[in-house]
Structure formats: structure tokens, C-alpha cells
Coordinates of all heavy atoms in Angstrom, one line a residue:
M1 N -34.4 -106.0 -4.3 CA -34.3 -104.6 -4.2 C -35.1 -104.0 -5.4 O -34.9 -104.4 -6.5 CB -32.8 -104.2 -4.4 CG -32.5 -102.7 -4.3 SD -32.3 -102.0 -2.7 CE -31.2 -103.0 -1.9
A2 N -35.9 -103.0 -5.1 CA -36.7 -102.4 -6.1 C -36.2 -101.0 -6.3 O -35.9 -100.2 -5.4 CB -38.2 -102.3 -5.6
L3 N -35.9 -100.7 -7.6 CA -35.6 -99.3 -8.0 C -36.9 -98.6 -8.3 O -37.6 -99.1 -9.2 CB -34.6 -99.3 -9.1 CG -33.2 -99.9 -8.9 CD1 -32.4 -99.8 -10.1 CD2 -32.6 -99.4 -7.7
E4 N -37.1 -97.4 -7.7 CA -38.3 -96.7 -7.9 C -38.1 -95.3 -8.3 O -37.0 -94.7 -8.0 CB -39.1 -96.7 -6.5 CG -39.4 -98.0 -6.0 CD -40.1 -98.0 -4.6 OE1 -39.8 -97.0 -3.9 OE2 -40.8 -98.9 -4.3
I5 N -39.1 -94.7 -8.9 CA -39.0 -93.3 -9.3 C -40.3 -92.7 -8.7 O -41.4 -93.3 -8.8 CB -38.8 -93.1 -10.8 CG1 -38.5 -91.6 -11.0 CG2 -40.0 -93.6 -11.6 CD1 -37.9 -91.3 -12.4
K6 N -40.2 -91.5 -8.2 CA -41.4 -90.8 -7.6 C -41.8 -89.6 -8.5 O -40.9 -88.9 -9.0 CB -41.1 -90.4 -6.2 CG -40.9 -91.5 -5.3 CD -40.5 -91.0 -3.9 CE -40.2 -92.2 -3.0 NZ -39.8 -91.7 -1.6
A7 N -43.1 -89.4 -8.6 CA -43.6 -88.2 -9.2 C -44.6 -87.6 -8.2 O -45.3 -88.3 -7.5 CB -44.4 -88.6 -10.5
P8 N -44.6 -86.3 -8.1 CA -45.5 -85.6 -7.2 C -47.0 -86.0 -7.3 O -47.5 -86.2 -8.4 CB -45.4 -84.1 -7.5 CG -44.0 -84.0 -8.2 CD -43.9 -85.3 -8.9
G9 N -47.6 -86.4 -6.2 CA -49.0 -86.8 -6.2 C -49.2 -88.2 -6.6 O -50.4 -88.6 -6.8
R10 N -48.2 -89.0 -6.9 CA -48.4 -90.3 -7.3 C -47.6 -91.3 -6.5 O -46.6 -90.9 -5.9 CB -47.9 -90.5 -8.8 CG -48.7 -89.6 -9.7 CD -48.3 -89.7 -11.1 NE -48.6 -90.9 -11.7 CZ -48.3 -91.3 -12.9 NH1 -47.7 -90.6 -13.7 NH2 -48.7 -92.5 -13.3
A11 N -48.0 -92.5 -6.4 CA -47.2 -93.5 -5.7 C -45.9 -93.8 -6.5 O -45.9 -93.7 -7.7 CB -48.1 -94.8 -5.6
P12 N -44.9 -94.2 -5.7 CA -43.6 -94.6 -6.4 C -43.9 -95.7 -7.5 O -44.7 -96.6 -7.2 CB -42.7 -95.1 -5.3 CG -43.3 -94.5 -4.1 CD -44.8 -94.4 -4.3
A13 N -43.2 -95.6 -8.6 CA -43.3 -96.6 -9.6 C -42.0 -97.4 -9.7 O -40.9 -96.8 -9.8 CB -43.6 -95.9 -11.0
V14 N -42.1 -98.7 -9.6 CA -40.9 -99.6 -9.7 C -40.6 -99.7 -11.2 O -41.4 -100.1 -12.0 CB -41.2 -101.0 -9.1 CG1 -40.0 -101.9 -9.3 CG2 -41.5 -100.8 -7.6
F15 N -39.3 -99.4 -11.5 CA -38.9 -99.6 -12.9 C -37.9 -100.7 -13.1 O -37.5 -101.1 -14.2 CB -38.4 -98.3 -13.5 CG -37.1 -97.8 -12.9 CD1 -35.9 -98.1 -13.4 CD2 -37.2 -96.9 -11.8 CE1 -34.7 -97.6 -12.8 CE2 -36.0 -96.4 -11.2 CZ -34.8 -96.8 -11.7
A16 N -37.4 -101.2 -12.0 CA -36.4 -102.4 -12.0 C -36.4 -103.1 -10.7 O -36.6 -102.5 -9.6 CB -35.0 -101.9 -12.4
T17 N -36.2 -104.4 -10.8 CA -36.1 -105.2 -9.6 C -34.7 -105.9 -9.7 O -34.4 -106.5 -10.7 CB -37.2 -106.2 -9.4 OG1 -38.5 -105.6 -9.5 CG2 -37.1 -107.0 -8.2
L18 N -33.9 -105.7 -8.7 CA -32.5 -106.2 -8.7 C -32.4 -107.4 -7.8 O -33.2 -107.6 -6.9 CB -31.6 -105.1 -8.2 CG -31.6 -103.8 -8.9 CD1 -30.6 -102.8 -8.4 CD2 -31.4 -104.0 -10.4
G19 N -31.4 -108.2 -8.1 CA -31.2 -109.4 -7.3 C -29.8 -109.4 -6.7 O -29.0 -108.5 -6.8
E20 N -29.4 -110.6 -6.2 CA -28.1 -110.7 -5.5 C -27.0 -110.4 -6.5 O -27.0 -110.9 -7.7 CB -28.0 -112.2 -5.0 CG -26.7 -112.4 -4.3 CD -26.6 -113.8 -3.7 OE1 -27.7 -114.4 -3.5 OE2 -25.5 -114.3 -3.5
G21 N -26.0 -109.6 -6.1 CA -24.9 -109.3 -6.9 C -25.1 -108.1 -7.9 O -24.2 -107.7 -8.5
D22 N -26.3 -107.6 -8.0 CA -26.6 -106.5 -8.9 C -26.1 -105.2 -8.3 O -26.0 -105.0 -7.1 CB -28.1 -106.3 -9.1 CG -28.6 -107.4 -10.1 OD1 -27.8 -107.9 -10.9 OD2 -29.8 -107.7 -10.1
I23 N -25.8 -104.3 -9.2 CA -25.3 -102.9 -8.8 C -26.5 -102.0 -8.7 O -27.4 -102.0 -9.6 CB -24.3 -102.4 -9.8 CG1 -23.1 -103.2 -9.8 CG2 -24.0 -100.9 -9.5 CD1 -22.1 -103.0 -10.9
V24 N -26.7 -101.3 -7.5 CA -27.8 -100.5 -7.3 C -27.7 -99.1 -8.0 O -28.6 -98.7 -8.7 CB -28.1 -100.3 -5.8 CG1 -29.2 -99.3 -5.6 CG2 -28.4 -101.6 -5.1
G25 N -26.6 -98.4 -7.8 CA -26.5 -97.1 -8.4 C -25.3 -96.8 -9.2 O -24.2 -97.4 -8.9
A26 N -25.4 -95.9 -10.1 CA -24.3 -95.5 -10.9 C -24.2 -94.0 -11.1 O -23.6 -93.5 -12.0 CB -24.3 -96.2 -12.3
S27 N -25.0 -93.3 -10.3 CA -25.0 -91.9 -10.4 C -23.7 -91.2 -10.1 O -23.5 -90.1 -10.5 CB -26.1 -91.3 -9.4 OG -27.4 -91.8 -9.8
W28 N -22.8 -91.9 -9.5 CA -21.5 -91.4 -9.1 C -20.7 -91.2 -10.4 O -19.7 -90.5 -10.4 CB -20.8 -92.4 -8.2 CG -20.5 -93.7 -8.8 CD1 -21.3 -94.8 -8.8 CD2 -19.3 -94.1 -9.5 NE1 -20.6 -95.8 -9.5 CE2 -19.4 -95.4 -9.9 CE3 -18.1 -93.4 -9.8 CZ2 -18.4 -96.1 -10.6 CZ3 -17.1 -94.1 -10.5 CH2 -17.3 -95.4 -10.9
L29 N -21.1 -91.8 -11.5 CA -20.3 -91.7 -12.8 C -20.5 -90.4 -13.5 O -19.7 -90.0 -14.3 CB -20.7 -92.9 -13.7 CG -20.2 -94.2 -13.4 CD1 -20.9 -95.3 -14.3 CD2 -18.7 -94.3 -13.7
V30 N -21.7 -89.8 -13.4 CA -22.1 -88.7 -14.3 C -22.5 -87.5 -13.5 O -23.3 -87.6 -12.6 CB -23.3 -89.1 -15.2 CG1 -23.6 -88.1 -16.2 CG2 -23.0 -90.4 -15.9
P31 N -21.8 -86.3 -13.8 CA -22.2 -85.1 -13.1 C -23.7 -84.8 -13.3 O -24.2 -85.2 -14.4 CB -21.3 -84.0 -13.7 CG -20.2 -84.7 -14.4 CD -20.7 -86.1 -14.7
P32 N -24.4 -84.3 -12.4 CA -24.0 -83.7 -11.1 C -23.9 -84.7 -9.9 O -23.9 -84.3 -8.8 CB -25.0 -82.7 -10.8 CG -26.3 -83.3 -11.4 CD -25.8 -84.0 -12.6
Y33 N -23.8 -86.0 -10.2 CA -23.6 -87.0 -9.2 C -24.7 -87.1 -8.2 O -24.5 -87.1 -7.0 CB -22.2 -86.9 -8.5 CG -21.1 -86.7 -9.4 CD1 -20.4 -85.5 -9.4 CD2 -20.7 -87.6 -10.3 CE1 -19.3 -85.3 -10.2 CE2 -19.6 -87.4 -11.2 CZ -18.9 -86.3 -11.1 OH -17.9 -86.1 -12.0
R34 N -25.9 -87.0 -8.7 CA -27.1 -87.1 -7.8 C -28.0 -88.3 -8.2 O -28.1 -88.7 -9.3 CB -28.0 -85.8 -8.0 CG -27.3 -84.6 -7.6 CD -28.2 -83.4 -7.5 NE -27.7 -82.1 -7.6 CZ -26.7 -81.6 -6.8 NH1 -26.2 -82.3 -5.9 NH2 -26.3 -80.3 -7.0
W35 N -28.6 -88.9 -7.1 CA -29.5 -90.0 -7.3 C -30.7 -89.5 -8.2 O -31.2 -88.4 -8.0 CB -30.0 -90.5 -6.0 CG -29.0 -91.3 -5.2 CD1 -28.2 -90.8 -4.2 CD2 -28.6 -92.6 -5.4 NE1 -27.4 -91.8 -3.8 CE2 -27.6 -93.0 -4.5 CE3 -29.1 -93.6 -6.3 CZ2 -27.0 -94.2 -4.4 CZ3 -28.5 -94.9 -6.2 CH2 -27.5 -95.2 -5.3
T36 N -31.1 -90.4 -9.1 CA -32.3 -90.0 -9.9 C -33.5 -91.0 -9.5 O -34.6 -90.9 -10.1 CB -32.0 -90.1 -11.4 OG1 -31.5 -91.5 -11.6 CG2 -31.0 -89.1 -11.8
S37 N -33.2 -91.9 -8.6 CA -34.3 -92.9 -8.2 C -34.0 -93.3 -6.8 O -32.9 -93.0 -6.2 CB -34.3 -94.1 -9.1 OG -33.0 -94.7 -9.2
D38 N -34.9 -94.1 -6.2 CA -34.7 -94.6 -4.9 C -34.6 -96.1 -5.0 O -35.1 -96.7 -5.9 CB -36.0 -94.3 -4.0 CG -36.1 -92.8 -3.7 OD1 -35.0 -92.1 -3.5 OD2 -37.2 -92.3 -3.7
A39 N -34.0 -96.7 -4.0 CA -33.9 -98.2 -3.9 C -34.6 -98.6 -2.6 O -34.4 -98.0 -1.5 CB -32.4 -98.6 -3.9
R40 N -35.4 -99.6 -2.7 CA -36.1 -100.1 -1.5 C -35.9 -101.6 -1.4 O -36.1 -102.4 -2.4 CB -37.6 -99.8 -1.7 CG -38.5 -100.3 -0.5 CD -39.9 -99.9 -0.7 NE -40.5 -100.1 -2.0 CZ -41.1 -101.2 -2.4 NH1 -41.3 -102.2 -1.6 NH2 -41.6 -101.3 -3.6
A41 N -35.4 -102.0 -0.3 CA -35.2 -103.5 0.0 C -36.5 -104.2 0.1 O -37.4 -103.8 0.8 CB -34.4 -103.7 1.2
L42 N -36.6 -105.3 -0.7 CA -37.8 -106.1 -0.7 C -37.7 -107.3 0.3 O -38.7 -108.0 0.6 CB -38.1 -106.7 -2.1 CG -38.3 -105.6 -3.1 CD1 -38.4 -106.2 -4.5 CD2 -39.5 -104.7 -2.8
E43 N -36.5 -107.5 0.7 CA -36.2 -108.6 1.7 C -34.9 -108.2 2.4 O -34.2 -107.2 2.0 CB -36.0 -110.0 1.0 CG -35.0 -110.0 -0.1 CD -35.0 -111.3 -0.9 OE1 -36.1 -111.8 -1.2 OE2 -33.9 -111.8 -1.2
L44 N -34.5 -109.0 3.4 CA -33.2 -108.7 4.1 C -32.1 -108.6 3.1 O -31.9 -109.4 2.2 CB -32.9 -109.8 5.1 CG -31.6 -109.6 5.9 CD1 -31.7 -108.4 6.8 CD2 -31.4 -110.8 6.8
T45 N -31.4 -107.4 3.1 CA -30.4 -107.1 2.1 C -29.1 -106.7 2.8 O -29.1 -105.9 3.7 CB -30.9 -106.0 1.2 OG1 -32.1 -106.4 0.6 CG2 -29.9 -105.6 0.2
R46 N -28.0 -107.2 2.2 CA -26.7 -106.7 2.6 C -26.1 -105.9 1.4 O -26.2 -106.4 0.3 CB -25.8 -107.9 3.0 CG -26.2 -108.5 4.2 CD -25.2 -109.6 4.7 NE -25.6 -110.1 5.9 CZ -25.3 -111.3 6.3 NH1 -24.4 -112.0 5.6 NH2 -25.7 -111.8 7.5
A47 N -25.6 -104.8 1.7 CA -25.1 -103.9 0.6 C -23.7 -103.3 1.0 O -23.4 -103.2 2.2 CB -26.1 -102.8 0.3
L48 N -22.9 -103.1 0.0 CA -21.7 -102.4 0.2 C -21.8 -101.0 -0.4 O -22.4 -100.8 -1.4 CB -20.6 -103.1 -0.6 CG -20.3 -104.6 -0.2 CD1 -19.3 -105.2 -1.2 CD2 -19.8 -104.6 1.2
G49 N -21.2 -100.1 0.4 CA -21.2 -98.7 -0.1 C -19.8 -98.3 -0.5 O -18.8 -98.9 -0.1
I50 N -19.7 -97.4 -1.5 CA -18.4 -97.0 -2.0 C -18.3 -95.5 -1.8 O -19.3 -94.7 -2.1 CB -18.3 -97.4 -3.5 CG1 -18.3 -98.9 -3.7 CG2 -17.0 -96.8 -4.1 CD1 -18.4 -99.3 -5.1
D51 N -17.1 -95.0 -1.5 CA -16.9 -93.6 -1.4 C -16.7 -93.1 -2.9 O -15.6 -93.3 -3.5 CB -15.6 -93.3 -0.6 CG -15.2 -91.8 -0.5 OD1 -15.7 -91.0 -1.3 OD2 -14.5 -91.5 0.5
A52 N -17.8 -92.6 -3.5 CA -17.8 -92.2 -4.9 C -16.8 -91.2 -5.3 O -16.1 -91.3 -6.3 CB -19.2 -91.8 -5.3
A53 N -16.6 -90.2 -4.4 CA -15.7 -89.1 -4.7 C -14.2 -89.7 -4.8 O -13.5 -89.3 -5.7 CB -15.8 -88.0 -3.7
C54 N -13.9 -90.5 -3.8 CA -12.6 -91.2 -3.8 C -12.4 -92.0 -5.1 O -11.3 -92.0 -5.7 CB -12.5 -92.0 -2.6 SG -10.9 -92.9 -2.4
L55 N -13.4 -92.8 -5.4 CA -13.3 -93.7 -6.6 C -13.1 -92.8 -7.9 O -12.3 -93.2 -8.8 CB -14.5 -94.6 -6.7 CG -14.5 -95.6 -7.8 CD1 -13.2 -96.5 -7.8 CD2 -15.7 -96.5 -7.8
R56 N -13.9 -91.7 -8.0 CA -13.7 -90.9 -9.2 C -12.3 -90.3 -9.3 O -11.7 -90.3 -10.3 CB -14.7 -89.7 -9.1 CG -16.1 -90.1 -9.6 CD -17.0 -88.9 -9.8 NE -17.1 -88.0 -8.7 CZ -18.0 -88.1 -7.7 NH1 -18.8 -89.0 -7.7 NH2 -18.0 -87.2 -6.8
R57 N -11.8 -89.9 -8.1 CA -10.4 -89.4 -8.1 C -9.4 -90.5 -8.6 O -8.5 -90.2 -9.4 CB -10.0 -88.9 -6.7 CG -10.6 -87.6 -6.4 CD -10.0 -87.0 -5.1 NE -10.1 -87.8 -3.9 CZ -11.2 -87.8 -3.1 NH1 -12.2 -87.0 -3.3 NH2 -11.2 -88.6 -2.1
K58 N -9.6 -91.7 -8.1 CA -8.7 -92.8 -8.5 C -8.8 -93.1 -10.0 O -7.8 -93.4 -10.6 CB -9.0 -94.0 -7.6 CG -8.6 -93.9 -6.2 CD -8.8 -95.1 -5.4 CE -8.5 -94.9 -3.9 NZ -7.1 -94.6 -3.7
C59 N -10.1 -93.0 -10.5 CA -10.3 -93.3 -11.9 C -9.6 -92.2 -12.8 O -9.1 -92.4 -13.9 CB -11.8 -93.4 -12.2 SG -12.5 -94.9 -11.6
E60 N -9.7 -90.9 -12.3 CA -9.1 -89.8 -13.0 C -7.6 -89.9 -13.0 O -6.9 -89.6 -14.0 CB -9.5 -88.5 -12.4 CG -9.1 -87.3 -13.1 CD -9.7 -87.2 -14.5 OE1 -10.8 -87.6 -14.7 OE2 -8.9 -86.7 -15.4
A61 N -7.0 -90.4 -11.9 CA -5.6 -90.5 -11.7 C -5.0 -91.7 -12.5 O -3.9 -91.7 -13.0 CB -5.2 -90.6 -10.3
D62 N -5.8 -92.7 -12.6 CA -5.5 -94.0 -13.3 C -6.5 -94.3 -14.4 O -7.5 -94.9 -14.1 CB -5.4 -95.1 -12.3 CG -5.0 -96.5 -12.9 OD1 -4.9 -96.6 -14.2 OD2 -4.7 -97.4 -12.2
H63 N -6.2 -93.8 -15.6 CA -7.2 -93.9 -16.7 C -7.5 -95.4 -17.0 O -8.6 -95.7 -17.5 CB -6.8 -93.1 -17.9 CG -6.9 -91.7 -17.7 ND1 -6.4 -90.7 -18.6 CD2 -7.3 -90.9 -16.6 CE1 -6.7 -89.5 -18.1 NE2 -7.2 -89.6 -16.9
H64 N -6.6 -96.3 -16.8 CA -6.8 -97.7 -17.1 C -7.9 -98.2 -16.1 O -8.8 -98.9 -16.5 CB -5.5 -98.5 -16.9 CG -5.7 -100.0 -17.1 ND1 -6.0 -100.5 -18.3 CD2 -5.8 -101.0 -16.2 CE1 -6.2 -101.8 -18.2 NE2 -6.1 -102.1 -16.9
L65 N -7.8 -97.8 -14.8 CA -8.8 -98.1 -13.9 C -10.2 -97.5 -14.3 O -11.2 -98.2 -14.2 CB -8.4 -97.6 -12.4 CG -9.5 -97.8 -11.4 CD1 -9.9 -99.2 -11.1 CD2 -9.1 -97.1 -10.1
G66 N -10.2 -96.3 -14.7 CA -11.4 -95.6 -15.1 C -12.0 -96.3 -16.3 O -13.3 -96.5 -16.3
Y67 N -11.2 -96.7 -17.2 CA -11.7 -97.4 -18.4 C -12.3 -98.8 -18.0 O -13.4 -99.2 -18.5 CB -10.6 -97.6 -19.4 CG -11.1 -98.3 -20.7 CD1 -12.1 -97.8 -21.5 CD2 -10.6 -99.6 -21.0 CE1 -12.5 -98.4 -22.6 CE2 -11.0 -100.2 -22.2 CZ -11.9 -99.7 -23.0 OH -12.4 -100.3 -24.1
E68 N -11.7 -99.5 -17.1 CA -12.2 -100.8 -16.6 C -13.5 -100.6 -15.9 O -14.4 -101.4 -16.1 CB -11.1 -101.5 -15.7 CG -9.9 -102.0 -16.5 CD -10.3 -103.0 -17.5 OE1 -11.1 -103.9 -17.3 OE2 -9.7 -102.9 -18.6
M69 N -13.6 -99.6 -15.1 CA -14.9 -99.3 -14.4 C -16.0 -99.0 -15.4 O -17.1 -99.5 -15.3 CB -14.7 -98.1 -13.4 CG -13.8 -98.4 -12.2 SD -14.3 -99.8 -11.2 CE -15.7 -99.0 -10.4
M70 N -15.7 -98.2 -16.4 CA -16.7 -97.9 -17.4 C -17.1 -99.1 -18.2 O -18.3 -99.3 -18.4 CB -16.2 -96.8 -18.4 CG -16.1 -95.4 -17.8 SD -17.8 -94.8 -17.5 CE -17.5 -93.1 -17.3
K71 N -16.2 -100.0 -18.5 CA -16.5 -101.2 -19.2 C -17.5 -102.1 -18.4 O -18.3 -102.8 -19.0 CB -15.3 -102.0 -19.6 CG -14.5 -101.4 -20.7 CD -13.4 -102.3 -21.3 CE -12.7 -103.2 -20.4 NZ -11.5 -103.8 -20.9
R72 N -17.4 -102.0 -17.1 CA -18.3 -102.8 -16.2 C -19.6 -102.1 -16.0 O -20.6 -102.8 -15.9 CB -17.6 -103.1 -14.9 CG -16.4 -104.1 -15.1 CD -15.6 -104.2 -13.9 NE -14.6 -105.3 -13.9 CZ -13.5 -105.4 -14.7 NH1 -13.2 -104.4 -15.5 NH2 -12.7 -106.4 -14.6
F73 N -19.6 -100.8 -15.9 CA -20.9 -100.1 -15.5 C -21.7 -99.8 -16.7 O -22.9 -99.8 -16.6 CB -20.6 -98.8 -14.7 CG -20.4 -99.0 -13.3 CD1 -19.2 -99.4 -12.7 CD2 -21.5 -98.9 -12.4 CE1 -19.0 -99.6 -11.4 CE2 -21.3 -99.1 -11.1 CZ -20.1 -99.5 -10.5
V74 N -21.1 -99.4 -17.8 CA -21.9 -99.0 -19.0 C -22.9 -100.1 -19.5 O -24.0 -99.8 -19.8 CB -21.0 -98.4 -20.1 CG1 -21.8 -98.2 -21.4 CG2 -20.4 -97.1 -19.7
P75 N -22.4 -101.3 -19.6 CA -23.4 -102.4 -20.1 C -24.6 -102.5 -19.1 O -25.7 -102.8 -19.5 CB -22.5 -103.7 -20.1 CG -21.2 -103.2 -20.3 CD -21.1 -101.9 -19.5
I76 N -24.4 -102.4 -17.8 CA -25.4 -102.4 -16.8 C -26.4 -101.3 -17.1 O -27.7 -101.5 -17.1 CB -24.9 -102.4 -15.4 CG1 -24.0 -103.6 -15.1 CG2 -26.0 -102.2 -14.4 CD1 -23.2 -103.5 -13.9
L77 N -25.9 -100.1 -17.3 CA -26.8 -99.0 -17.5 C -27.5 -99.1 -18.8 O -28.7 -98.8 -18.9 CB -26.0 -97.7 -17.5 CG -25.2 -97.4 -16.2 CD1 -24.4 -96.1 -16.3 CD2 -26.2 -97.2 -15.1
V78 N -26.9 -99.6 -19.9 CA -27.6 -99.8 -21.2 C -28.7 -100.8 -21.0 O -29.8 -100.6 -21.6 CB -26.5 -100.1 -22.3 CG1 -27.2 -100.6 -23.5 CG2 -25.6 -99.0 -22.5
N79 N -28.4 -101.9 -20.3 CA -29.4 -102.9 -20.1 C -30.6 -102.4 -19.4 O -31.8 -102.7 -19.7 CB -28.8 -104.2 -19.4 CG -27.9 -105.0 -20.3 OD1 -28.0 -104.9 -21.6 ND2 -27.0 -105.7 -19.7
R80 N -30.4 -101.6 -18.3 CA -31.5 -101.0 -17.6 C -32.3 -100.0 -18.4 O -33.5 -100.0 -18.3 CB -30.9 -100.3 -16.3 CG -30.5 -101.4 -15.3 CD -30.4 -100.8 -13.9 NE -29.8 -101.8 -13.1 CZ -29.0 -101.5 -12.0 NH1 -28.8 -100.3 -11.7 NH2 -28.5 -102.5 -11.3
L81 N -31.6 -99.2 -19.2 CA -32.3 -98.3 -20.1 C -33.2 -99.1 -21.1 O -34.3 -98.7 -21.3 CB -31.3 -97.4 -20.8 CG -31.9 -96.5 -21.9 CD1 -32.9 -95.5 -21.2 CD2 -30.8 -95.7 -22.6
H82 N -32.6 -100.1 -21.6 CA -33.4 -101.0 -22.6 C -34.6 -101.6 -21.9 O -35.7 -101.6 -22.4 CB -32.5 -102.0 -23.2 CG -33.2 -102.9 -24.2 ND1 -33.6 -102.4 -25.4 CD2 -33.6 -104.2 -24.1 CE1 -34.3 -103.4 -26.1 NE2 -34.3 -104.5 -25.3
A83 N -34.4 -102.1 -20.7 CA -35.6 -102.7 -20.0 C -36.6 -101.7 -19.7 O -37.8 -101.9 -19.8 CB -35.0 -103.4 -18.7
T84 N -36.2 -100.5 -19.3 CA -37.1 -99.4 -19.0 C -37.9 -99.0 -20.3 O -39.1 -98.7 -20.2 CB -36.4 -98.2 -18.4 OG1 -35.7 -98.6 -17.2 CG2 -37.4 -97.1 -18.0
Q85 N -37.2 -98.9 -21.4 CA -37.9 -98.6 -22.7 C -38.9 -99.7 -23.0 O -40.0 -99.3 -23.4 CB -36.8 -98.6 -23.8 CG -35.9 -97.4 -23.7 CD -34.8 -97.5 -24.7 OE1 -34.3 -98.6 -25.0 NE2 -34.4 -96.3 -25.3
L86 N -38.6 -100.9 -22.7 CA -39.6 -102.0 -23.0 C -40.8 -101.8 -22.1 O -42.0 -102.0 -22.5 CB -39.0 -103.4 -22.8 CG -38.0 -103.7 -23.9 CD1 -37.3 -105.1 -23.6 CD2 -38.6 -103.8 -25.3
Q87 N -40.6 -101.5 -20.8 CA -41.7 -101.2 -19.9 C -42.5 -100.1 -20.4 O -43.8 -100.1 -20.3 CB -41.2 -100.9 -18.5 CG -40.7 -102.1 -17.7 CD -40.2 -101.7 -16.3 OE1 -39.6 -100.6 -16.1 NE2 -40.5 -102.5 -15.4
M88 N -41.9 -99.0 -20.8 CA -42.6 -97.9 -21.3 C -43.5 -98.3 -22.5 O -44.7 -97.8 -22.7 CB -41.7 -96.7 -21.7 CG -40.9 -96.1 -20.6 SD -42.0 -95.4 -19.4 CE -42.7 -94.0 -20.3
L89 N -43.0 -99.1 -23.4 CA -43.8 -99.6 -24.6 C -45.0 -100.3 -24.1 O -46.1 -100.2 -24.6 CB -42.9 -100.4 -25.5 CG -41.9 -99.7 -26.3 CD1 -41.1 -100.8 -27.0 CD2 -42.5 -98.8 -27.3
D90 N -44.8 -101.1 -23.0 CA -45.9 -101.9 -22.5 C -47.0 -101.0 -21.8 O -48.2 -101.2 -22.0 CB -45.4 -102.9 -21.5 CG -46.5 -103.8 -21.0 OD1 -47.2 -104.4 -21.8 OD2 -46.6 -104.0 -19.8
V91 N -46.5 -100.0 -21.1 CA -47.4 -99.1 -20.4 C -48.3 -98.3 -21.4 O -49.4 -98.1 -21.2 CB -46.6 -98.1 -19.5 CG1 -47.4 -97.0 -19.0 CG2 -46.0 -98.9 -18.3
Y92 N -47.6 -97.8 -22.5 CA -48.3 -97.0 -23.4 C -48.9 -97.7 -24.6 O -49.3 -97.1 -25.6 CB -47.4 -95.8 -23.8 CG -47.2 -94.9 -22.7 CD1 -45.9 -94.8 -22.1 CD2 -48.1 -94.0 -22.3 CE1 -45.7 -94.0 -21.0 CE2 -47.9 -93.2 -21.2 CZ -46.7 -93.2 -20.6 OH -46.4 -92.3 -19.5
A93 N -48.8 -99.1 -24.6 CA -49.3 -99.8 -25.7 C -50.8 -99.7 -25.8 O -51.6 -99.5 -24.8 CB -49.0 -101.3 -25.5
K94 N -51.3 -99.6 -27.1 CA -52.7 -99.6 -27.3 C -53.4 -100.9 -26.9 O -52.8 -102.0 -27.3 CB -53.0 -99.3 -28.8 CG -52.6 -97.9 -29.2 CD -52.9 -97.6 -30.6 CE -52.4 -96.2 -30.9 NZ -52.7 -95.9 -32.3
R95 N -54.4 -100.9 -26.2 CA -55.1 -102.1 -25.8 C -56.4 -102.2 -26.4 O -57.1 -101.4 -26.7 CB -55.2 -102.1 -24.3 CG -53.8 -102.0 -23.7 CD -53.7 -102.4 -22.3 NE -52.4 -102.0 -21.8 CZ -51.5 -103.0 -21.5 NH1 -51.7 -104.2 -21.6 NH2 -50.3 -102.6 -21.1

């Protein structure tokens, strides 16, 4: 699975490639709850969808559940941000 970002007049840029068991999206965690990238399957893929609004309500009602979800999702997001930062350094490195 390739995570891509699009800019007007340019081809989509892949900023992450995911594998089996990886989480595709976490936009459901942060308002305004909108996707900021696209996901494109690179091979036959099976995926599970989650009713994000329902899960947010459950996390709000049960703060222990909400905290457990955050403990699982935040490290993934931090790792992706770090990987993207490294890619940016490579793209803009002086050659």
C-alpha cells in the first residue's frame, strides 16, 4: 500500500509504503477528521474499515479505551512523521 499526497499540476508523490498489518489512516483521531493523503494498493490487498464516528464516541465515553487507542496510534504517527522528515532531508539535500 502506498500513501500518496497530491499537489495541483504534479504527479502524486509516495511518502510511505505500508505492509501487512500496518494501519493506513488515523485522520479519524484529529478534527476536522479529513483525509490528508490517498492510499493506493500496490498488490492484492485486504483491508478492514472502522466506523470512525462510532469509535470516537466509544473513546469519549470510556477514557481508558481512548487512552489505549492513543497509545497505539500516536507511535505510528510519530514514526511516519519522522520517516517523512528524513525523506524531506533527502529530497532537499545539496548534491
Side-chain angles (χ1 to χ4, degrees):
M1 179 84 50
L3 296 183
E4 302 175 331
I5 191 163
K6 295 178 183 175
R10 299 178 72 182
V14 175
F15 67 90
T17 304
L18 307 179
E20 185 175 335
D22 285 337
I23 294 169
V24 174
S27 298
W28 66 273
L29 281 170
V30 183
Y33 313 116
R34 298 196 201 301
W35 286 98
T36 57
S37 58
D38 293 321
R40 181 173 46 89
L42 302 173
E43 57 189 41
L44 181 61
T45 301
R46 290 187 179 158
L48 299 174
I50 297 172
D51 181 336
C54 177
L55 184 54
R56 281 194 305 274
R57 286 191 301 272
K58 290 182 183 299
C59 288
E60 187 62 37
D62 180 349
H63 290 175
H64 178 73
L65 171 64
Y67 180 63
E68 290 300 319
M69 294 298 290
M70 285 295 196
K71 286 191 326 188
R72 286 168 172 74
F73 275 86
V74 168
I76 294 165
L77 298 175
V78 169
N79 287 338
R80 286 195 189 154
L81 176 60
H82 181 69
T84 302
Q85 289 170 326
L86 293 175
Q87 283 182 322
M88 294 298 295
L89 286 174
D90 186 51
V91 166
Y92 292 107
K94 292 182 181 177
R95 300 197 189 252

